[in-house]
Amino acid sequence: MTTPSAITNSVPKPHDSAQCLPTEAMGNTALVAEGGGQRGIFTAGVLDSWLHAGFNPFDLLIGTSAGAQNLSSYMTCQKGFGHHSITSLSGHPKFFKLHRAFLGKHAVDLDWYFDQVEKSENKLNFGCGEERLQERQLLFSTTKESDRSAQFFEPTRENWLTVLKASSALPMLYKKGVAIDGEYYVDGGLSAPIPIEEAHKRGAKRIVVIRTIPKEVTGHSPWAHKLKFWVCSNNRCPKVLDLITHHEDAYQKSLRFIENPPKGIEVIQIYLEQPLASGLVGSRDDSLNDDYDLGIKAGLDFLSSATSKRINAGI
C-alpha cells in the first residue's frame, strides 16, 4: 500500500519529468483547483499522489492562480514541481517584499518568479503537456482588469507562462497586471476563486474540487483580508474594500453552487477540516512541508474511495 511518506521521499527534482504516459479521460468529468497562494502546497500534494498512481480521468481541468500552476505540472507529469515552486521560488526573499509596493514596484515579483520557471532546472515540460491535452482541455482563470469579469485562457506552448502569470497576478501587489492582446488581466481569484460554474457551463456533470480552505469557512476571503491589513495604512482602503467585496461576492456564488448544484451535477470536494498552517506568502518551511504531506494523504484517501473507482470506471 502506498503511504504519504513513500511519495514524499520519492519526489524528484522538478525538471525530472515522469514518463509522459497517456491516461484515459472520462467524458463530462472535471477537476477544479482553488487558488490560495502558498496554501496551494496542499493541492500540490494531492496531485503528486495522483501522478504517482497514474490517476487522471479528467477531460476538463480549470485552475485559479496557484491552482492553475499546480494543474500545469499535473498535466506535464512533473511530480514535485509544485512543491519546489512554492517552497523554493515563492519562499525566496526576492519573491515578496511588501515595502516595494510603497516604492511603486511589485510587492510580489512575478517577473522574477517566472524568469526562474523558464530556466532549464525549473522548466515545465510543455511537450508532455500538449501531448496529454490532445483529448482534454486545461483552462486558467483570470480577471479582466477593466471590468473585473472572469476570463478563461487555454494555455499553449507559446502563451502558457503568460496566462499562468496573469492568473496569479494579485491586484495591487503586482501593479497593473499582465498584458494580453491589449488588455490587462489580474488574479483569477478576484472573479473566479473556485471556477466550478465555468466547469458546469462547459458540460461537466461530475466535478471534483480541490479546496485550500476548510469546507465550513464561508464568506472568508483567502487573500483579501490579508491584503486589506497590508495596504490600509497607505490610505488605499476604498479600492481594497471594493476588491474584497467583488471577491467575496464571487466566492459566495461558488459556494452556493457547491452546496446546491443543479440537478444531475455531482460535486466532490477534497478539503481539510482544519485550516492549513501555510498562508498566502511568507509561510514557514515546516508548515509548507506538513501541508504538502496532508495533501498527499488526502489524495491517497480519495484514490481509495468508492468515488474515484466510479470515476475511473466511468460510472
Side-chain angles (χ1 to χ4, degrees), residues 40-61:
I41 196 81
F42 173 78
T43 305
V46 172
L47 297 179
D48 277 354
S49 74
W50 292 357
L51 281 174
H52 188 84
F55 177 79
N56 186 349
F58 309 102
D59 66 343
L60 173 64
L61 304 95

Side-chain angles (χ1 to χ4, degrees), residues 290-306:
D290 287 347
D291 288 343
Y292 176 73
D293 288 343
L294 288 172
I296 290 176
K297 182 179 184 304
L300 292 175
D301 287 346
F302 181 82
L303 290 177
S304 65
S305 70

Side-chain angles (χ1 to χ4, degrees), residues 256-307:
R256 288 194 296 270
F257 186 101
I258 290 172
E259 292 164 5
N260 295 289
K263 184 177 179 181
I265 305 302
E266 181 183 10
V267 176
I268 305 107
Q269 295 189 77
I270 298 174
Y271 59 90
L272 288 177
E273 299 290 345
Q274 299 298 321
L276 295 168
S278 306
L280 179 69
V281 292
S283 308
R284 292 165 50 95
D285 286 345
D286 57 348
S287 296
L288 291 169
N289 287 321
D290 287 347
D291 288 343
Y292 176 73
D293 288 343
L294 288 172
I296 290 176
K297 182 179 184 304
L300 292 175
D301 287 346
F302 181 82
L303 290 177
S304 65
S305 70
T307 300

Side-chain angles (χ1 to χ4, degrees), residues 185-257:
Y185 296 86
V186 296
D187 195 301
L190 183 62
S191 297
I194 311 173
I196 188 168
E197 298 99 320
E198 188 66 21
H200 174 236
K201 288 178 184 177
R202 293 175 183 262
K205 302 298 183 185
R206 177 181 287 141
I207 308 170
V208 177
V209 183
I210 305 177
R211 304 284 302 279
T212 54
I213 62 172
K215 177 184 177 183
E216 290 73 18
V217 177
T218 59
H220 173 72
S221 304
W223 56 267
H225 288 287
K226 178 71 73 174
L227 182 61
K228 177 181 177 182
F229 173 78
W230 283 335
V231 303
C232 273
S233 60
N234 198 36
N235 296 318
R236 301 175 74 173
C237 272
K239 183 175 181 179
V240 173
L241 290 173
D242 185 39
L243 293 173
I244 290 172
T245 301
H246 185 80
H247 167 81
E248 289 189 343
D249 286 348
Y251 204 78
Q252 285 290 337
K253 183 180 178 183
S254 294
L255 290 181
R256 288 194 296 270
F257 186 101

Side-chain angles (χ1 to χ4, degrees), residues 6-7 10-18 47-49 51-52 73 76-83 292:
I7 296 177
S10 70
V11 169
K13 295 179 181 179
H15 59 284
D16 291 339
S17 302
L47 297 179
D48 277 354
S49 74
L51 281 174
H52 188 84
S73 54
T76 60
C77 281
Q78 287 172 278
K79 187 173 69 173
F81 185 96
H83 180 275
Y292 176 73

Side-chain angles (χ1 to χ4, degrees), residues 21-26 54-58 74-75 132 135-136:
L21 294 174
T23 53
E24 185 177 355
M26 299 298 172
F55 177 79
N56 186 349
F58 309 102
Y74 183 49
M75 289 310 305
R132 286 165 61 85
E135 297 182 2
R136 292 177 166 86

